[in-house]
Amino acid sequence: MSTIIYHNPRCTKSRLTLDILEEKGLDFEIIKYLESPPSFDELKALIIELKTDARGLMRTFEAAYKENNLDDELLNEDELIQAMINHPILIERPIVRTDKGVAIGRPPENILAII
């Protein structure tokens, strides 16, 4: 597996994380997830690898979270994952996947353990 960064160019943390990958001289693929959201299965796999749940990967302060009543505790994991696919702005960023694991670059130095 190659290194992948799920990237939002408008996000400072995402840009700083991208800088770390470049400084380390790694070959990596950039996925602009707002334009090309991960599939349901990809998101589910990321959640499992991050050892979290769907809400742990969600940006709960985004307007789309409130507008879609995603704070409803009755929503299950699959419904929350589908909401992230429908509204990719809800996906926490940046996410980096390498052969050594997956990490969220908040702070960007979090990815050092997996590169």
Side-chain angles (χ1 to χ4, degrees):
M1 174 194 303
S2 63
T3 299
I4 297 170
I5 179 171
Y6 294 88
H7 178 59
N8 177 351
R10 296 186 65 198
C11 172
T12 302
K13 301 289 188 213
S14 195
R15 290 192 310 268
L16 290 170
T17 301
L18 186 66
D19 289 345
I20 291 172
L21 294 174
E22 289 172 343
E23 287 169 9
K24 297 293 185 184
L26 298 174
D27 290 327
F28 56 90
E29 176 184 357
I30 298 172
I31 297 177
K32 294 181 181 177
Y33 70 92
L34 293 176
E35 298 169 12
S36 300
S39 70
F40 184 93
D41 290 338
E42 289 170 320
L43 265 180
K44 194 165 201 158
L46 288 169
I47 290 165
I48 290 167
E49 290 178 70
L50 286 164
K51 296 178 175 75
T52 190
D53 59 13
R55 283 188 211 284
L57 192 59
M58 294 181 92
R59 298 172 57 84
T60 59
F61 55 85
E62 293 288 344
Y65 187 83
K66 184 173 183 169
E67 291 166 0
N68 291 283
N69 299 314
L70 297 174
D71 59 347
D72 182 345
E73 294 297 323
L74 296 177
L75 294 172
N76 64 39
E77 287 290 294
D78 289 353
E79 291 168 319
L80 294 171
I81 292 169
Q82 189 59 52
M84 286 187 274
I85 292 167
N86 295 344
H87 308 281
I89 193 71
L90 292 171
I91 301 170
E92 189 57 86
R93 62 189 181 249
I95 302 167
V96 175
R97 172 185 266 157
T98 72
D99 291 334
K100 295 180 182 177
V102 177
I104 297 174
R106 296 188 90 64
E109 296 77 20
N110 279 352
I111 70 160
L112 293 174
I114 62 164
I115 59 174

